[in-house]
Amino acid sequence: MMKVARTFLSSGRIFFVLFIAVSAVVFAMFQGGKVSWTIFYVLFPFICYSILLFFYPLVDIKAERTIRTPNVQNGGKLAVSITVYRRIRFPLLYTVVTEQWEEKEIPKLAGEKLKRFFLWGFRKEVKWEYEIERMPRGEHVLQGVEVEVSDFFGWIKKKKFIPAKHTILVYPKTVSINYVPIDTQYDRGSMASPLNIVKDTTMATGVRNYQPGDRVTWIHWKSFARTQSLMTKEFEDKRSQELFLILDSRPAETFEGQVELAASILKESTSQQAGLTFMSTGAESSIFPFIQSEEQFHRALVHLAKIKPSKDQSDARLPGGEETSGHGGSIVLITGNPDWPFIQSVTQNVKNARRIVCFVVTQDGQIPPTLASNIQLAKSRGIAVHSLAQERFTTAFEEVTRL
């Protein structure tokens, strides 16, 4: 339907130009005189150009786009270069090139930067660069470039949309976090230490006297047969860190801050090879187990770039399964509201956690009465709750260890 309307409008424009041409000729012939023919000769070049422009093939025009800032974080600047070129050197006068985005939010943010006016002339190509400040986090799609050409008086106007689809990921902003493991545990007793010490039971390095609490499978029976004294195998200590990070993806005013905190923790733990597992809640929940490599971190970061709040405020579900319920490390929750549905979902699905810590992201450190009530409820369930404003993300783990 749109194509038919455009064809009809284009045909109407050329008929209008022909009508002006015929009218000028008839006026000059019947009116006579120098003035009449002067009017005709003045209009004649413009009429000829309009007719030629009508038949000029816009299919000859192509466009290429270059993203000059491939990695953009939330609030960062996006720089784009566009080249529009052709083969036929037909003189184009008034040319408007417009970048088309799939979202309506970006054109509102960019304003007139997405549109450029050219006096093209006989050139084969024109180049154009624009920048958009404060890009929002998310997946943004550029659909293509629209080129509109016009004659002197706007009698003939032609448009062409050049498809040039390009997907841009704006990643969450990350800050440097002083990462301190929340909870560590030895095989005998518990204490604070930089890392979690786990026995590698595949390699015995010696024997020692038996101590209450040692596992029966660790007893060195050959020594017992010789000396009649219980001896326990000693194993090589293998250091590890077990941390399970859960992001509450329900709608919240602090949702962007929650995503930023999650991305910052992921980045820091990956740099230290902490073996962190990440999960987001909601109807489209995702889990990224044991993130250590840059590739694994990048997959999780792409998920955080695309993630959007759940449509349902009460949707706090966690996926079940062994990856969730069988985790035996520390749990870190990131939310804007630790209410009962969210806390219940966590406690029901993650049963073997040694410790649960909840980071509540707040706006400017303000805690409304309802939020304060939910924080007290979470604390009554044995969860260590720590409220954080965005400017305090850097010291989040240091402050938790003092709780």
Side-chain angles (χ1 to χ4, degrees):
M1 191 66 181
M2 290 291 294
K3 189 175 182 180
V4 174
R6 288 178 181 175
T7 303
F8 179 78
L9 181 61
S10 179
S11 301
R13 289 182 178 277
I14 189 61
F15 283 129
F16 175 73
V17 173
L18 294 176
F19 173 76
I20 293 176
V22 172
S23 299
V25 172
V26 171
F27 178 75
M29 292 181 64
F30 285 92
Q31 183 68 22
K34 186 176 181 180
V35 175
S36 302
W37 284 105
T38 299
I39 293 175
F40 170 76
Y41 287 124
V42 169
L43 290 176
F44 182 75
F46 297 102
I47 293 171
C48 289
Y49 178 79
S50 297
I51 294 173
L52 291 173
L53 180 62
F54 178 78
F55 290 103
Y56 174 72
L58 290 187
V59 292
D60 181 53
I61 300 177
K62 309 293 181 183
E64 290 182 354
R65 183 191 301 108
T66 302
I67 306 299
R68 294 186 287 120
T69 51
N71 295 318
V72 183
Q73 290 190 346
N74 185 21
K77 180 171 64 177
L78 175 69
V80 181
S81 298
I82 295 177
T83 302
V84 184
Y85 58 93
R86 59 184 179 151
R87 293 176 299 172
I88 303 174
R89 290 184 181 271
F90 180 83
L92 293 177
L93 298 175
Y94 307 123
T95 306
V96 178
V97 181
T98 307
E99 181 81 280
Q100 298 288 342
W101 290 70
E102 188 175 271
E103 300 170 280
K104 296 181 179 179
E105 178 185 2
I106 302 299
K108 291 180 180 179
L109 181 66
E112 294 298 320
K113 293 181 180 180
L114 300 183
K115 184 179 292 187
R116 186 69 177 268
F117 172 77
F118 295 101
L119 289 173
W120 197 325
F122 288 93
R123 289 176 293 175
K124 278 195 171 183
E125 69 175 37
V126 290
K127 293 184 179 180
W128 164 40
E129 296 180 354
Y130 68 90
E131 296 179 348
I132 302 178
E133 305 285 347
R134 300 185 301 277
M135 282 292 294
R137 180 192 59 82
E139 185 178 28
H140 310 289
V141 179
L142 294 95
Q143 295 178 318
V145 177
E146 183 182 79
V147 179
E148 181 179 7
V149 296
S150 174
D151 61 9
F152 290 92
F153 301 113
W155 294 338
I156 298 295
K157 289 184 178 180
K158 300 179 70 176
K159 287 184 180 180
K160 180 190 178 183
F161 177 74
I162 305 172
K165 194 169 183 179
H166 204 126
T167 301
I168 296 176
L169 279 178
V170 178
Y171 297 98
K173 184 180 178 181
T174 57
V175 297
S176 178
I177 288 185
N178 300 327
Y179 181 75
V180 178
I182 292 175
D183 182 44
T184 55
Q185 194 173 45
Y186 285 89
D187 292 297
R188 293 169 295 170
S190 61
M191 61 179 294
S193 86
L195 296 172
N196 204 25
I197 306 299
V198 179
K199 297 294 184 181
D200 185 359
T201 57
T202 62
M203 184 178 297
T205 59
V207 293
R208 58 169 172 78
N209 292 328
Y210 175 83
Q211 296 180 6
D214 287 345
R215 300 179 184 178
V216 176
T217 55
W218 293 357
I219 295 176
H220 194 267
W221 294 108
K222 292 183 178 179
S223 298
F224 176 72
R226 292 196 309 267
T227 63
Q228 299 300 308
S229 298
L230 288 175
M231 304 293 288
T232 301
K233 299 175 186 176
E234 281 193 323
F235 302 99
E236 180 180 2
D237 288 338
K238 184 178 180 180
R239 298 189 170 208
S240 69
Q241 297 179 13
E242 295 183 14
L243 192 66
F244 195 1
L245 183 65
I246 300 176
L247 173 64
D248 181 8
S249 61
R250 294 176 300 169
E253 293 181 355
T254 58
F255 184 75
E256 290 301 324
Q258 294 166 218
V259 174
E260 179 181 325
L261 178 58
S264 300
I265 294 175
L266 280 172
K267 181 179 179 180
E268 187 65 25
S269 63
T270 302
S271 66
Q272 298 193 20
Q273 295 187 335
L276 177 147
T277 296
F278 170 67
M279 175 191 294
S280 60
T281 68
E284 298 180 359
S285 59
S286 299
I287 185 167
F288 299 87
F290 204 65
I291 301 172
Q292 280 191 316
S293 66
E294 286 295 326
E295 181 181 355
Q296 293 169 326
F297 167 68
H298 182 71
R299 286 200 297 265
L301 195 63
V302 168
H303 173 71
L304 285 175
K306 296 180 179 180
I307 193 172
K308 295 181 179 180
S310 303
K311 296 181 179 179
D312 188 357
Q313 176 65 40
S314 60
D315 191 1
R317 70 186 110 169
L318 271 71
E322 185 177 349
E323 289 180 320
T324 304
S325 60
H327 189 84
S330 300
I331 308 296
V332 173
L333 311 177
I334 299 177
T335 181
N337 183 21
D339 56 4
W340 175 240
F342 179 65
I343 297 302
Q344 184 183 38
S345 177
V346 172
T347 55
Q348 286 181 349
N349 287 278
V350 185
K351 300 177 180 179
N352 297 326
R354 292 197 302 268
R355 189 183 182 192
I356 300 179
V357 174
C358 181
F359 289 130
V360 180
V361 180
T362 61
Q363 288 186 326
D364 301 324
Q366 300 296 322
I367 302 178
T370 303
L371 179 58
S373 177
N374 290 333
I375 289 176
Q376 290 300 322
L377 174 63
K379 289 181 177 179
S380 68
R381 298 291 172 175
I383 298 175
V385 182
H386 187 57
S387 60
L388 281 177
Q390 285 186 274
E391 59 270 16
R392 293 169 57 194
F393 283 175
T394 300
T395 59
F397 281 86
E398 294 177 354
E399 296 181 20
V400 166
T401 57
R402 295 195 290 267
L403 290 177

